[in-house]
Amino acid sequence: MRNTVLSYLFLPLFSAVSLSAMAAQPHVEPAAAMVTLNAAKLNLNQADATTLQSTLVGIGKTKAEAIVAYRDEHGAFTSVDELLEIKGIGKALLDRNRDKLRVN
């Protein structure tokens, strides 16, 4: 009987402590999150063919080299959408990788 009474007393206490620990989430400032997110994106104007190939989905050696060749011939990219000008890169491939890319 004594154990049963103790369990009825301690169960709500432990549940309350557990719930309050789960509810306490760290606060992240939105601006700080955007800086971190932007830093994680691959810069099309600085990446070499090997980095493009290893980072992007559906981009092999030939397409990665074509991206670098296009950049060398036409200058720096002004938009991620400019990748559509490269043979072999279509809208679907660009959309799969858009969130990984930046230009600046």
Side-chain angles (χ1 to χ4, degrees), residues 27-45:
H27 179 69
V28 176
E29 292 295 325
M34 286 302 293
V35 170
T36 304
L37 180 64
N38 196 21
K41 291 185 175 187
L42 182 65
N43 188 339
L44 276 176
N45 292 323

Side-chain angles (χ1 to χ4, degrees), residues 26-93:
H27 179 69
V28 176
E29 292 295 325
M34 286 302 293
V35 170
T36 304
L37 180 64
N38 196 21
K41 291 185 175 187
L42 182 65
N43 188 339
L44 276 176
N45 292 323
Q46 295 176 347
D48 61 354
T50 306
T51 305
L52 291 166
Q53 180 181 351
S54 64
T55 306
L56 302 177
V57 176
I59 301 291
K61 182 180 179 183
T62 305
K63 287 181 187 171
E65 289 173 350
I67 292 170
V68 173
Y70 182 90
R71 182 179 66 207
D72 291 342
E73 185 177 330
H74 296 93
F77 288 97
T78 57
S79 168
V80 173
D81 291 322
E82 200 172 339
L83 284 174
L84 294 172
E85 299 296 322
I86 300 170
K87 182 180 178 184
I89 298 180
K91 183 167 175 28
L93 184 59

